[in-house]
Amino acid sequence: MPNIVIVGAQWGDEGKGKVIDIYAPRADYIVRYQGGNNAGHTVVIGKDSFILHLIPSGILHKGKICVIGNGVVVDPKALLEEIEMLESKGISVKGRLFLSEQAHIIFPYHRKLDEMKEERKGKIGTTKKGIGPCYADKCARVGIRVADLLDDDVLKEKLADTLNEKNALLKKIYDAEGFIFDALYREYTDYARRLREYTCNTVVILNEAIRKNKRILFEGAQGTLLDVDHGTYPFVTSSNATAGGASTGTGVGPTKIDKVIGIVKAYTTRVGEGPFPTEFPPELMEKIRKKGKEFGATTGRPRRCGWFDSIVVKHSVMVNGIDEIVVTKLDVLDDLESLKVCVGYRCEGRFFKNFPTNIRILEQCEPVYEELPGWQEDTTKVISYTKLPKYAKAYLRRIQTILDTKIVLISVGSDRKQTFSRE
Ligand code: IMP
């Protein structure tokens, strides 16, 4: 297996955790390259269900090396809790989890600012994990990185500096309480002590691995439409969730990446605010949400659900350079009499075949649908493509044709075993 990027081709929650888990046995390294603990990657193994927020899902496979790359923002408390959770279930991470010294650290003031901004007009519907404010500090060149955390003197100086500014902001703009330096410094030096053994220069580790022909799996978080450049800005996350982020977020050059696999749900979901042209009417929304258990793995928020939007996924195929597609949760559509696939948008008398970059247009556009017959049969026990109901195959074939991209894998349930190839 070459070096592969797994990327969400919709608004996140496409089932990347499950797909990573399937590809992981054939990889040597599994790497997270962006986002933070706003992600929630669920892997179901028999009766056990694991939700991983920061550590790559590949950690569930013995002997695999997992890397949290420089492009990730790390809440040390969340990371330590995740390490403890895995260790308590008998999954040892020691010696096979590596954290980039260049990754940026989330502090409580990032979370607080995220919360305060969300209470104001024009909220994004964030996970309130401090992701946006942490990336903002990174870009403003005032962030604190893992390497800084490990150096007491540097941490002291940087934290004191930044805390002055953050406390003033919290008090003056948001009328909120600030943070006390001593308590924060103590808390974070303790995290540094506990995380030190995992930290290193992951850029060198990964490039050395590639030189030795090891195989890398890049685990994208969130989805293309949440990408800060290519998504529905400003209703996006603050990182590059697209495949390009795999390079900048790990220090592995683009020439070393061989393949991009896009993950799509057989329908569409999104959490948080922002345009969603194919959103279901309330009754269908309730039905699919219930059947698909569409509640956020990180925040528990109900997800908005809608028809499959090929304009969205075509955009994803383009901006990620997607070579192959995996379709998840096909079984959730089992009961429907008929299905719709969005094939264009209409807005102010214009027809759009491409995803509009102007959010105002996107907010106003009407989806144009193609209607297909439902299969109305249980697919959860199907173990090969040929055994799928005729109309389920027709649905997948139609999506493949519209996207002009090969569907390679189909998933019909949360368990590892409920997955089969298209061949
Ligand atoms: P943030 O990443 O917490 O700043 O949230 C920004 C937007 O991205 C919000 O609409 C969130 O609901 C969404 N978001 C962030 N992480 C995920 C995810 O893992 N799955 C789905 N949506 C996400």
Side-chain angles (χ1 to χ4, degrees):
M1 188 181 82
N3 300 323
I4 294 180
V5 182
I6 302 280
V7 76
Q10 292 156 323
W11 273 283
D13 308 315
E14 296 92 350
K16 294 180 291 295
K18 178 178 176 177
V19 178
I20 296 281
D21 183 60
I22 289 163
Y23 280 86
R26 285 172 276 165
D28 301 296
Y29 289 69
I30 299 99
V31 190
R32 270 284 302 272
Y33 58 86
Q34 45 71 233
N37 59 323
N38 49 348
H41 293 171
T42 309
V43 182
V44 179
I45 309 167
K47 288 196 182 75
D48 270 332
S49 174
F50 296 85
I51 300 179
L52 294 157
H53 300 284
L54 266 169
I55 299 178
S57 314
I59 203 76
L60 303 176
H61 291 263
K62 243 185 172 170
K64 301 297 170 189
I65 298 187
C66 289
V67 174
I68 299 176
N70 56 276
V72 177
V73 286
V74 178
D75 184 328
K77 184 166 183 272
L79 178 55
L80 284 161
E81 279 170 9
E82 209 161 295
I83 292 173
E84 272 163 25
M85 178 276 288
L86 288 167
E87 300 268 349
S88 75
K89 294 194 177 189
I91 297 161
S92 174
V93 305
K94 291 206 192 307
R96 62 191 194 99
L97 175 66
F98 297 100
L99 167 63
S100 167
E101 291 166 342
Q102 294 162 268
H104 279 248
I105 298 288
I106 295 179
F107 283 82
Y109 49 78
H110 290 129
R111 284 195 300 270
K112 187 82 183 172
L113 284 167
D114 200 353
E115 257 173 55
M116 302 313 295
K117 278 174 197 263
E118 282 293 289
E119 280 172 19
R120 302 185 125 201
K121 206 171 141 244
K123 70 173 188 159
I124 305 291
T126 74
T127 58
K128 300 185 185 164
K129 301 287 181 192
I131 307 296
C134 185
Y135 276 118
D137 277 1
K138 172 178 174 171
C139 290
R141 295 157 296 176
V142 295
I144 297 177
R145 311 207 286 185
V146 169
D148 305 325
L149 185 74
L150 300 178
D151 185 324
D152 277 1
D153 293 335
V154 175
L155 176 66
K156 195 177 267 175
E157 194 186 322
K158 287 200 164 194
L159 187 59
D161 249 14
T162 202
L163 203 56
N164 274 338
E165 191 189 313
K166 302 296 186 231
N167 280 347
L169 191 63
L170 282 166
K171 281 179 195 145
K172 292 191 179 134
I173 307 284
Y174 297 103
D175 197 21
E177 274 204 29
F179 291 87
I180 297 162
F181 173 83
D182 285 343
L184 215 51
Y185 177 68
R186 254 199 320 275
E187 183 185 341
Y188 274 70
T189 44
D190 183 51
Y191 295 148
R193 184 184 57 75
R194 292 159 67 197
L195 284 175
R196 186 177 294 274
E197 64 178 303
Y198 301 105
T199 61
C200 62
N201 182 342
T202 54
V203 174
V204 170
I205 289 197
L206 289 171
N207 282 284
E208 285 279 302
I210 290 172
R211 214 171 44 78
K212 291 180 187 153
N213 289 324
K214 299 286 182 203
R215 296 149 305 177
I216 319 262
L217 192 57
F218 297 88
E219 175 171 346
Q222 288 84 47
T224 302
L225 278 296
L226 290 172
D227 181 282
V228 69
D229 284 283
H230 299 291
T232 45
Y233 190 92
F235 300 101
V236 291
T237 190
S238 302
S239 63
N240 283 117
T242 42
S247 241
T248 53
T250 61
V252 170
T255 52
K256 304 284 187 279
I257 293 172
D258 304 289
K259 192 189 266 191
V260 179
I261 300 180
I263 318 302
V264 297
K265 251 179 217 178
Y267 48 102
T268 313
T269 61
R270 100 168 279 179
V271 201
E273 310 300 315
F276 184 177
T278 64
E279 193 162 10
F280 287 141
E283 205 178 309
L284 189 53
M285 173 92 77
E286 273 312 304
K287 183 180 162 126
I288 296 296
R289 182 181 285 152
K290 199 162 162 221
K291 178 128 202 241
K293 300 191 181 73
E294 294 295 356
F295 296 90
T298 301
T299 58
R301 288 180 293 174
R303 294 180 187 139
R304 298 157 67 192
C305 307
W307 294 116
F308 187 87
D309 188 338
S310 71
I311 300 302
V312 159
V313 183
K314 262 165 59 184
H315 171 71
S316 289
V317 167
M318 182 168 67
V319 298
N320 290 295
I322 289 175
D323 300 296
E324 295 173 351
I325 283 183
V326 175
V327 178
T328 64
K329 292 190 132 177
L330 184 69
D331 56 297
V332 176
L333 304 178
D334 281 354
D335 303 334
L336 301 180
E337 238 173 83
S338 68
L339 300 117
K340 288 182 185 172
V341 173
C342 172
V343 291
Y345 300 143
R346 202 164 271 132
C347 181
E348 291 170 355
R350 284 168 70 195
F351 183 76
F352 289 83
K353 281 195 305 192
N354 290 308
F355 196 70
T357 45
N358 183 336
I359 189 112
R360 299 287 156 248
I361 291 178
L362 194 62
E363 276 165 345
Q364 288 163 28
C365 70
E366 286 290 318
V368 177
Y369 289 115
E370 227 177 76
E371 198 146 348
L372 288 100
W375 45 94
Q376 297 186 285
E377 266 179 67
D378 179 15
T379 59
T380 56
K381 293 180 188 64
V382 172
I383 49 159
S384 73
Y385 179 76
T386 49
K387 296 271 164 25
L388 273 178
K390 179 173 118 192
Y391 287 136
K393 281 193 270 197
Y395 182 67
L396 294 171
R397 264 201 312 271
R398 185 66 193 126
I399 287 176
Q400 180 170 276
T401 305
I402 297 172
L403 301 177
D404 193 20
T405 310
K406 204 165 155 197
I407 295 175
V408 289
L409 216 60
I410 295 136
S411 153
V412 288
S414 56
D415 199 82
R416 265 181 187 171
K417 293 191 198 106
Q418 291 171 296
T419 317
F420 46 86
S421 98
R422 166 78 172 75
E423 297 299 317

